[in-house]
Amino acid sequence: MSFDIITNTEEYDKEILLKQFELTFGEAYTPEEMALFKEAWEYLCSKTAEITRSCGKPYHLHPMRVASLLAQAKMDGECIVCGLLHSIFEIEGTSQEEVEQKFGSTISKIVYDTSKITGMKINATSIQQADNIRKMLFAMIDDVRVILVKLADRLDRMRNLKSIEEKKQRLVASEVIDIWAPLADRLGMQSIKNELEDLSLKYSNPDVFAQIKAIVNQKQDERALYLEKAVSAIYKAAEKSGISVSVSSRAKHFYSIYKKMQKRNVPAAQLYDLLALRVICHTTSECYTLIGIVHGLWKPMDGRFKDYITMPKANGYQSLHTTVVCEGRPLEIQIRTEEMHNQAEHGVASHWLYKKGTNHDKVDISNLGIFNQLQTLKDQKLSDESFFAELKGELLGDEIFVFTPKGDVVQLPAGSNAIDFAYHVHSKIGEKIVGARADGKIIPLTQALKNTQIIEIITNPQAHPTENQLKIVHTSKARQRIHSWLVANDPTFIDKAAEAQRAADLASQNEHSRAIQEEKKRRKRSKNPEKAEDRKLDELYTGKIAVDGTSNVLYKLAGCCCPKPGDLITGYASTRNGIMIHRADCLTFNRIENISHRLVNVEWIKRTAEN
């Protein structure tokens, strides 16, 4: 995506900003959608009229830029309104009920889920934060626009990161590299991923960023002439073959250059493959014809041809990649159709467009690997440590493509071995595996598979899963199947993860009970002669509950214990009813398994002079 219109404006006046948005994006939306956007804009501006950011700029400027990013990505009308209102619950006195009444349940739900993610402290290096990441990713299953809004929000904040202190810049940059950029990549949003990575490098390692920038900017005239010759050669050869193409040139983005420096252990000045050409064809067959033309013009480098058209990436990306030697320098060339290019630039956003002016039916995006993986993980009871491992290794990691002996393509996370492959093909094959061949040669079961290998599994009807296999597999499917078999069939198997989880739950419940007992003692020791029971409860409490200090969170009082204002209460996140509130001594609550990671801080809101 290219975000450079309203997104970089220094105009603050709300009327001018709205006019700019209408002139830039108005034609892409129906009158009804624009009317809803204007209503949301007026609502936002009225709520934030007296509020400025820490940098001194008006509060409403950032939401308008976020909405503009989503509009440039051609998202639907509801999504751009959500971008505008994504932080509205930060404003005191704004409730979910109010937003739902004004803008509908869909917008209210997306904004609420986005605000919950915004409030999370996500540290990708901490296993303790895995539950926050879990909530964020599972919210994406229900409506991917939650994450699209959040990515637009994160991109705009990264673009304006210079206004915060240096230490915090590095923390934010680290979070972006570990979570947001890989997530954008898995959603196929290449341009967002590239910009997030470059901005992260700018703030996490400014010296290297400046060095790479200087090298890329050097000899621009010489590089332009070199690329111009290559582009001209492709146009002439394509025209001779009767193919109409569009060719563009670019320097690789800074973070990819930085990763090459690390991988090859050389300074940027010694890297030569910093340039790339992109060729857009009309049809897939023309793409393959053109790759032959390119290889006829220049000698291809060994091992640098990749066919992502036949074997698309997990995020849906399709293209032909090759690196050739042009005038003594490596030159990377990507060849794809216009449709493939749109997918490469916008990723999942290109699947999430709505039918303008019709019934707003959603386009199916369930074929994207990350959604199927998330759904699988959602059905599993994983500890934070296990989920964190899946997140880093499988959900946001790289992938490889290997083949079955029949030629079927199998896509696996990088680092997967033959056992992972076997379970991917079929659980029964995984259970009986005793050996494997890669390209006809016997390989160890622990050996990581490589791209394009043909894998053949050797089985034995007497074989069965082992605890050692559980330790060496890489994918969640293999791990889950082996674990289930061992629990059901091996009496000597000790489920350490389950024991650890039970211990953690017990410790958490004990701590919870201690806190309740302390609160009871504190109340008894209170020196205040006026006891709660001597006053009417409606004079002491509003009857509402604050969740983690926030008063506008959806919650439900449990019917089993019927908590009343003034009762000691506890709460946990449920899948259907928001936050469930129980009395602290409720037997039903105390019998819930694996409750520790779902607990939240809740308390009755006391009346003040103001309320």
Side-chain angles (χ1 to χ4, degrees):
M1 304 173 193
S2 174
F3 307 133
D4 52 12
I5 304 175
I6 292 179
T7 55
N8 289 330
T9 185
E10 289 300 320
E11 179 58 63
Y12 299 159
D13 183 84
K14 67 174 188 174
E15 298 298 334
I16 296 177
L17 284 170
L18 180 60
K19 193 68 176 176
Q20 284 181 334
F21 187 93
E22 288 182 282
L23 290 173
T24 307
F25 306 113
E27 292 183 1
Y29 297 95
T30 65
E32 292 77 15
E33 287 173 324
M34 285 307 300
L36 188 66
F37 184 86
K38 291 178 185 177
E39 183 182 354
W41 178 242
E42 289 299 326
Y43 177 72
L44 172 72
C45 291
S46 66
K47 285 278 187 178
T48 62
E50 306 299 324
I51 304 176
T52 57
R53 304 278 181 181
S54 58
C55 61
K57 294 180 180 180
Y59 189 94
H60 63 248
L61 188 59
H62 166 67
M64 174 57 89
R65 292 196 302 249
V66 171
S68 299
L69 294 178
L70 295 165
Q72 287 187 338
K74 300 181 181 179
M75 293 305 298
D76 64 286
E78 286 181 336
C79 192
I80 61 172
V81 171
C82 291
L84 206 57
L85 301 177
H86 74 276
S87 58
I88 196 68
F89 291 138
E90 294 177 359
I91 310 305
E92 188 175 351
T94 304
S95 67
Q96 190 176 2
E97 292 77 10
E98 180 183 8
V99 173
E100 181 174 347
Q101 184 178 7
K102 285 182 173 293
F103 304 105
S105 58
T106 300
I107 289 175
S108 173
K109 180 69 164 59
I110 294 173
V111 172
Y112 173 76
D113 286 344
T114 305
S115 67
K116 290 296 289 182
I117 294 171
T118 301
M120 293 176 185
K121 296 179 180 178
I122 298 175
N123 177 357
T125 61
S126 170
I127 289 175
Q128 284 70 34
Q129 297 300 329
D131 191 51
N132 285 339
I133 304 171
R134 183 204 314 260
K135 293 173 185 175
M136 175 189 76
L137 294 175
F138 288 168
M140 185 174 74
I141 297 176
D142 297 328
D143 198 322
V144 74
R145 290 174 294 180
V146 171
I147 299 300
L148 298 182
V149 171
K150 188 58 194 170
L151 280 170
D153 165 61
R154 181 51 59 196
L155 178 56
D156 185 69
R157 291 184 185 277
M158 284 299 293
R159 286 178 170 181
N160 296 275
L161 203 59
K162 61 184 179 182
S163 61
I164 68 174
E165 60 180 298
E166 187 176 324
K167 183 179 179 181
K168 191 172 182 180
Q169 285 177 353
R170 286 195 170 91
L171 289 173
V172 173
S174 175
E175 176 188 307
V176 164
I177 276 295
D178 283 332
I179 298 296
W180 298 108
L183 186 57
D185 184 44
R186 289 309 299 269
L187 294 175
M189 309 177 80
Q190 196 68 26
S191 57
I192 286 187
K193 172 241 184 190
N194 290 348
E195 187 173 354
L196 285 174
E197 287 178 340
D198 284 354
L199 289 169
S200 178
L201 180 63
K202 179 180 179 179
Y203 291 105
S204 63
N205 203 333
D207 292 339
V208 170
F209 181 87
Q211 177 192 2
I212 295 173
K213 184 177 181 180
I215 290 169
V216 170
N217 290 337
Q218 281 177 2
K219 302 179 181 179
Q220 285 187 335
D221 293 339
E222 178 186 334
R223 186 167 64 243
L225 180 61
Y226 166 77
L227 291 173
E228 186 179 333
K229 288 180 181 178
V231 169
S232 178
I234 292 175
Y235 272 127
K236 288 179 181 178
E239 184 179 358
K240 189 175 179 180
S241 299
I243 300 176
S244 174
V245 299
S246 172
V247 187
S248 58
S249 61
R250 63 181 179 86
K252 293 186 178 179
H253 73 290
F254 292 1
Y255 188 77
S256 69
I257 297 173
Y258 172 64
K259 296 302 286 183
K260 286 180 182 292
M261 291 168 58
Q262 287 186 315
K263 184 177 181 180
R264 301 179 192 177
N265 196 27
V266 296
Q270 293 182 24
L271 293 173
Y272 296 100
D273 51 342
L274 305 182
L275 307 174
L277 294 181
R278 180 175 297 137
V279 184
I280 306 297
C281 301
H282 292 290
T283 66
T284 299
S285 62
E286 287 182 353
C287 292
Y288 286 100
T289 300
L290 196 70
I291 198 74
I293 292 173
V294 167
H295 287 172
L297 290 171
W298 303 289
K299 181 182 178 181
M301 295 180 66
D302 290 341
R304 299 293 292 273
F305 172 67
K306 296 178 182 177
D307 185 351
Y308 293 120
I309 293 180
T310 301
M311 297 181 290
K313 291 186 176 183
N315 58 20
Y317 176 87
Q318 289 183 290
S319 187
L320 298 178
H321 287 198
T322 188
T323 301
V324 298
V325 180
C326 176
E327 297 186 6
R329 300 190 203 174
L331 175 63
E332 182 182 301
I333 301 175
Q334 301 172 355
I335 303 171
R336 62 181 71 144
T337 65
E338 186 65 44
E339 184 179 355
M340 294 172 191
H341 181 62
N342 182 54
Q343 165 69 25
E345 289 297 294
H346 302 296
V348 70
S350 67
H351 292 270
W352 206 256
L353 302 180
Y354 282 64
K355 298 176 182 177
K356 300 293 182 182
T358 61
N359 61 355
H360 286 208
D361 290 333
K362 296 175 187 176
V363 178
D364 182 24
I365 56 168
S366 60
N367 61 327
L368 286 182
I370 189 170
F371 288 92
N372 295 326
Q373 289 173 305
L374 282 171
Q375 191 62 59
T376 299
L377 288 178
K378 190 175 184 180
D379 296 336
Q380 298 179 31
K381 292 183 178 180
L382 296 175
S383 66
D384 279 354
E385 185 170 0
S386 298
F387 181 82
F388 191 78
E390 300 298 338
L391 171 82
K392 299 295 288 180
E394 190 163 346
L395 284 174
L396 301 182
D398 295 329
E399 66 272 348
I400 60 169
F401 299 93
V402 291
F403 297 93
T404 68
K406 293 181 179 180
D408 296 328
V409 179
V410 173
Q411 183 177 309
L412 294 167
S416 296
N417 55 40
I419 303 174
D420 294 302
F421 175 89
Y423 274 98
H424 182 95
V425 174
H426 199 284
S427 295
K428 294 298 182 183
I429 296 176
E431 287 181 4
K432 302 302 179 183
I433 185 173
V434 291
R437 293 187 182 93
D439 296 332
K441 298 179 181 179
I442 294 290
I443 60 170
L445 292 180
T446 57
Q447 180 175 300
L449 303 180
K450 298 177 182 178
N451 260 319
T452 72
Q453 285 181 323
I454 300 173
I455 308 300
E456 180 184 354
I457 300 301
I458 304 169
T459 60
N460 186 314
Q462 304 304 317
H464 60 75
T466 66
E467 191 169 351
N468 186 54
Q469 288 181 346
L470 184 63
K471 297 174 182 177
I472 63 176
V473 291
H474 195 81
T475 59
S476 59
K477 181 177 180 179
R479 192 176 298 112
Q480 182 187 18
R481 297 292 191 274
I482 295 170
H483 181 272
S484 297
W485 191 95
L486 292 172
V487 169
N489 298 283
D490 187 350
T492 66
F493 175 63
I494 299 175
D495 191 348
K496 295 179 181 178
E499 287 192 347
Q501 185 63 51
R502 281 194 293 269
D505 288 344
L506 181 61
S508 177
Q509 289 172 4
N510 289 340
E511 182 64 30
H512 191 65
S513 299
R514 280 196 294 271
I516 291 170
Q517 294 303 320
E518 287 298 321
E519 175 64 14
K520 287 181 178 179
K521 291 177 183 178
R522 188 193 65 78
R523 289 190 177 191
K524 289 181 179 180
R525 292 196 303 265
S526 175
K527 295 180 181 179
N528 185 356
E530 184 181 26
K531 296 181 181 178
E533 56 266 29
D534 293 334
R535 296 175 58 189
K536 292 181 180 179
L537 289 174
D538 60 359
E539 293 179 1
L540 286 172
Y541 300 98
T542 64
K544 297 182 179 180
I545 291 173
V547 179
D548 284 334
T550 303
S551 60
N552 56 8
V553 177
L554 179 67
Y555 65 85
K556 183 177 181 179
L557 300 179
C560 53
C561 55
C562 301
K564 294 181 174 58
D567 288 343
L568 286 173
I569 55 175
T570 187
Y572 67 94
S574 70
T575 55
R576 295 183 179 179
N577 300 309
I579 306 301
M580 287 297 299
I581 308 297
H582 288 258
R583 281 178 40 171
D585 57 358
C586 174
L587 292 177
T588 300
F589 169 79
N590 287 309
R591 289 170 182 159
I592 299 175
E593 293 185 3
N594 301 323
I595 195 65
S596 59
H597 68 279
R598 299 163 62 191
L599 293 173
V600 293
N601 294 320
V602 294
E603 61 181 351
W604 295 104
I605 299 176
K606 292 185 177 180
R607 288 193 180 278
T608 62
E610 288 76 17
N611 60 22

